[in-house]
Amino acid sequence: MVATAEMPAAVLPRAILANLSVGIVGAGIGGLATAVGLAGRGFKRVTVYESAPEVGEVGAGIQVAPNFCRVLGHFGVFDRLKAQAVRLEGASVRRYSDNEQINSTSFASLEEEYGAPTYVVHRADLHKALLDRALELGATLQTNAHVEGVNFEKTELKLQGRPALSHDLIIAADGIKSGIRGQMMARRGEVDETIPTGEAAYRVILPRRVMESDPELKALIDAPIATRWIGPDAHVVAYPIKAQEAFNIVTTHISNTVGLTEDWTARASKDIMLKRFDGWTETLLKCLRLAPPGELVEWALRIHLPLTGWIDNHTVLLADAAHATLPHIAQGAAQAGEDAAVLSTLLAKCQTKEDIPAALRMYERLRKPRADWAVEMARITGENLHMADGAAQKARDEALKRAAAGGKSPDRWGDKDTQRRLYGLDVVKQADQEYARL
Ligand SMILES: Cc1cc2nc3c(=O)[nH]c(=O)nc-3n(C[C@H](O)[C@H](O)[C@H](O)COP(=O)(O)OP(=O)(O)OC[C@H]3O[C@@H](n4cnc5c(N)ncnc54)[C@H](O)[C@@H]3O)c2cc1C
Ligand SMILES: *[C@@H]1O[C@H](CO)[C@@H](O)[C@H](O)[C@H]1NC(C)=O
Ligand SMILES: *[C@@H]1O[C@H](CO)[C@@H](O)[C@H](O)[C@H]1NC(C)=O
């Protein structure tokens, strides 16, 4: 049972703050979630600026972990997502070469323990649900609105070919390549750089009809299970999406990423992909061979080291701009959702504009250690999953087996302690309690 209690429509103590003008840069999952959070709390002047001529999320499937389900419930978005979602009943970790199951985790207990299971959806459905909700609540979206920079003294946005736009608060949700983060760091004398992880990702989405004639593949798409094949320098995650009408496969592999961009639209060669997974189980290869060649994409995975801070006067960073992560524990968008929920909860408590800096500091204090930790857990998981065959790999596999009986898992996604920390915290409740103590 997901908590679907929606945020009350108008909870702002003072009309003056309802008219606070908030500029959000970026209409990704982070920016739109923030627009929903703020508009849902009664802020009436929320504008999202997006460079792209139109918004429509590209990309693959995405896991909506219990902590993210909870946030989407608060936002009033969860229920409309459900029709397109698949409720995962478990995850299976398999050996790359022979498809042998190393172990499996049931997700049944997640719902008992945390009030929500893990769902998987197509990102486009999640993105659209957030966008529709933001607009319905009165937020404004401007597309073709490329922000060239911020004036941190004046809280102004500089848009291409337009006079400066003044706001009371600027929220930078401009993604891993955030220009605003770079500007903020430069003001502190720091150099902003994202770090190549050496990992890249292929994404393949198969329609149900191409899998149905093969009983083994049909069984894959019919089971509400996430499969992870783990092998030397790579692992592959696969699960059904779109109410089991499509099958989502994402590989992450150590790759020569020179020349690869982080762009999710970069076309890739199917032959090279098949060669890369030569020697992997026929079950996976059958799927990869079915990849529609014109739609195959590969992109480089980068991360960012923890920042010294997320705030510069009345401008704050949020989501990937603040804590870009590897995808290995499926928390990038989930942490973005938590950022949005916490920031909007705290801002809604401000009585006057003078309260805002303290609310921003509390946002950073509550969010930054948690998000930075999640980034580190994802990095460790990648290292642990990509081992070459040998003694270390055998020890890892034993640990994975033991973990099902309660031991610490090298795969932090399936690790009980990590799950407790990630899924067990209601960040909105935490923000309420912390603010009350101010
Ligand atoms: C392979 C992969 C799998 C993943 N799987 C999961 C998962 O299962 N679960 C999960 O929770 N997370 C997952 N994530 C992470 C998740 O996708 C991201 O953390 C999340 O989408 C970040 O959203 P964002 O809003 O910060 O950035 P983005 O989605 O990158 O959005 C940024 C937006 O800002 C716009 N923009 C940028 N600069 C400007 C500018 N100057 N002016 C105006 N607009 C601008 C861009 O056009 C873009 O629309 C995965 C990531 C990857 C790479
Ligand atoms: C998973 O681990 C548990 C506990 O060690 C064990 O009982 C079970 O048989 C394992 N399952 C598989 C499929 O290996
Ligand atoms: C912070 O922003 C406010 C309002 O935009 C401005 O008056 C103030 O001078 C700024 N302070 C700094 C240190 O930039």
Side-chain angles (χ1 to χ4, degrees):
M1 248 265 312
V2 177
T4 45
E6 295 185 13
M7 287 181 176
V11 290
L12 288 178
R14 295 248 177 117
I16 184 168
L17 280 190
N19 285 317
L20 195 82
S21 126
V22 185
I24 299 173
V25 184
I29 288 168
L32 291 177
T34 307
V36 171
L38 288 173
R41 292 288 195 182
F43 288 92
K44 300 203 179 323
R45 293 171 63 205
V46 178
T47 308
V48 185
Y49 301 94
E50 168 58 50
S51 307
E54 49 191 311
V55 298
E57 180 83 337
V58 286
I62 189 164
Q63 294 170 36
V64 182
N67 57 323
F68 198 11
C69 287
R70 193 181 294 126
V71 164
L72 294 175
H74 278 298
F75 286 166
V77 167
F78 186 75
D79 284 335
R80 48 184 94 178
L81 202 59
K82 253 168 120 174
Q84 290 294 310
V86 175
R87 184 181 178 285
L88 279 188
E89 275 167 25
S92 168
V93 183
R94 292 175 178 273
R95 218 175 123 64
Y96 73 102
S97 51
D98 56 8
N99 202 28
E100 181 211 339
Q101 179 163 288
I102 300 170
N103 219 299
S104 65
T105 316
S106 162
F107 284 178
S109 67
L110 288 183
E111 186 145 18
E112 271 164 44
E113 284 174 64
Y114 306 114
T118 288
Y119 281 82
V120 283
V121 299
H122 193 286
R123 323 172 77 87
D125 294 331
L126 173 60
H127 194 262
K128 182 168 187 308
L130 287 168
L131 175 62
D132 289 351
R133 184 74 175 140
L135 298 177
E136 179 184 295
L137 289 166
T140 306
L141 172 68
Q142 290 194 18
T143 48
N144 276 319
H146 181 70
V147 173
E148 288 178 328
V150 170
N151 181 325
F152 295 90
E153 279 85 24
K154 297 183 173 164
T155 320
E156 277 179 357
L157 289 175
K158 180 77 197 80
L159 268 73
Q160 224 163 36
R162 293 206 227 165
L165 291 163
S166 178
H167 286 287
D168 295 310
L169 178 65
I170 292 171
I171 298 167
D174 48 347
I176 185 168
K177 289 183 255 180
S178 173
I180 299 176
R181 179 190 61 217
Q183 240 195 303
M184 204 184 264
M185 289 182 73
R187 275 163 60 86
R188 298 185 200 128
E190 297 169 347
V191 179
D192 179 30
E193 47 184 2
T194 55
I195 300 172
T197 58
E199 293 179 38
Y202 285 114
R203 183 223 57 194
V204 172
I205 295 182
L206 302 179
R208 164 176 279 281
R209 74 185 140 68
V210 304
M211 297 176 78
E212 268 182 328
S213 54
D214 181 320
E216 192 186 21
L217 301 192
K218 182 170 184 303
L220 268 183
I221 192 169
D222 281 343
I225 301 281
T227 302
R228 296 232 262 199
W229 287 282
I230 63 176
D233 284 350
H235 80 279
V236 179
V237 184
Y239 48 76
I241 52 173
K242 291 263 174 206
Q244 285 171 281
E245 285 304 314
F247 194 65
N248 176 67
I249 305 166
V250 176
T251 76
T252 54
H253 48 280
I254 308 289
S255 164
N256 176 7
T257 53
V258 177
L260 259 192
T261 65
E262 297 110 278
D263 194 341
W264 293 17
T265 53
R267 292 279 174 262
S269 146
K270 191 168 158 179
D271 286 343
I272 294 176
M273 175 180 73
L274 288 171
K275 250 180 232 135
R276 178 66 184 75
F277 288 93
D278 192 26
W280 286 52
T281 168
E282 189 56 24
T283 315
L284 170 65
L285 290 174
K286 277 194 287 189
C287 292
L288 296 182
R289 278 186 216 113
L290 288 171
E295 290 173 21
L296 187 64
V297 291
E298 183 186 22
W299 68 95
L301 297 173
R302 300 176 77 93
I303 57 171
H304 204 289
L305 288 179
L307 299 170
T308 51
W310 291 359
I311 309 170
D312 190 325
N313 202 15
H314 291 164
T315 299
V316 286
L317 303 176
L318 182 136
D320 278 9
H323 44 78
T325 186
L326 281 165
H328 308 320
I329 60 166
Q331 279 290 315
Q335 293 299 312
E338 290 192 351
D339 288 348
V342 169
L343 184 57
S344 50
T345 299
L346 295 173
L347 287 171
K349 290 178 186 292
C350 295
Q351 304 267 332
T352 70
K353 281 191 187 177
E354 282 64 50
D355 295 338
I356 291 173
L360 298 183
R361 281 196 301 274
M362 182 170 285
Y363 158 73
E364 183 187 66
R365 182 167 68 72
L366 293 180
R367 296 299 310 147
K368 191 174 178 305
R370 179 167 164 88
D372 287 345
W373 167 76
V375 172
E376 179 59 8
M377 289 303 105
R379 191 192 63 76
I380 289 175
T381 299
E383 255 177 29
N384 288 346
L385 293 186
H386 295 169
M387 288 178 177
D389 285 352
Q393 161 263 326
K394 289 205 176 82
R396 188 260 335 259
D397 290 359
E398 284 311 311
L400 283 170
K401 283 182 183 151
R402 279 195 307 274
K408 183 100 194 139
S409 178
D411 169 14
R412 297 293 192 264
W413 183 51
D415 179 61
K416 293 292 170 201
D417 282 341
T418 310
Q419 288 185 342
R420 215 166 290 128
R421 231 173 121 174
L422 278 176
Y423 307 159
L425 180 69
D426 183 335
V427 293
V428 170
K429 204 189 268 171
Q430 183 195 35
D432 280 337
Q433 286 165 350
E434 290 292 311
Y435 201 89
R437 297 205 313 199
L438 254 192

